[in-house]
Amino acid sequence: MSDSPTLFERIIAREIPSTVVYEDDRYIAIKDIAPKAPLHLLVIPKEVSTRVDEITDPQEMGELWLTAIKVARQHAEDYRLVVNCGKGGGQMVFHTHIHILAGWEGGPDQDI
Ligand code: 5GP
């Protein structure tokens, strides 16, 4: 892992502005800058890991997903949670995060 702060660490530190929709001592949720759905949020653990499969502690993994579900339910009844893992999986920011996507009329534009 690089020593320099990740983009999301800089957002957490308020060095880079973002729209924060949720924050506690361990997680932050922000609006995605380039939304791929009417609602597009990112749930980000403050403790840095590069990608989700680096998290090996079941409690930590569970808390991350439970936080994403909690934030999603604060904004939508139905939603999609997505994790891009590694460059080949479409990950561009190497600080673990879960995408919350929601708000399409009649369901997502694309099935997976
Ligand atoms: P990834 O492809 O790594 O799973 O997702 C990274 C996400 O971060 C992308 O959806 C991208 O639009 C979002 N993103 C990139 N830079 C910024 C930024 O400066 N602010 C916010 N709020 N989102 C960003």
Side-chain angles (χ1 to χ4, degrees), residues 8-23:
F8 291 156
E9 281 182 286
R10 298 186 64 204
I11 284 176
I12 291 162
R14 280 27 182 209
E15 289 169 19
I16 296 174
S18 72
T19 304
V20 176
V21 298
Y22 175 85
E23 184 165 21

Side-chain angles (χ1 to χ4, degrees), residues 8 32 42-45 49-52 64 82-84 91-99:
F8 291 156
D32 196 290
L42 303 171
V43 177
I44 305 161
S49 52
T50 301
R51 40 189 273 172
V52 75
L64 170 60
V82 172
V83 176
N84 298 324
Q91 186 174 4
M92 291 185 305
V93 178
F94 288 88
H95 178 152
T96 299
H97 53 282
I98 297 180
H99 295 257

Side-chain angles (χ1 to χ4, degrees), residues 47-93:
E47 187 171 325
V48 182
S49 52
T50 301
R51 40 189 273 172
V52 75
D53 58 10
E54 257 178 33
I55 300 173
T56 54
D57 177 43
Q59 182 159 342
E60 199 181 324
M61 185 68 86
E63 270 180 19
L64 170 60
W65 284 92
L66 287 170
T67 302
I69 289 166
K70 179 170 75 179
V71 174
R73 290 303 303 263
Q74 286 171 353
H75 292 85
E77 192 171 336
D78 299 334
Y79 50 87
R80 175 176 279 176
L81 302 181
V82 172
V83 176
N84 298 324
C85 198
K87 212 171 165 189
Q91 186 174 4
M92 291 185 305
V93 178

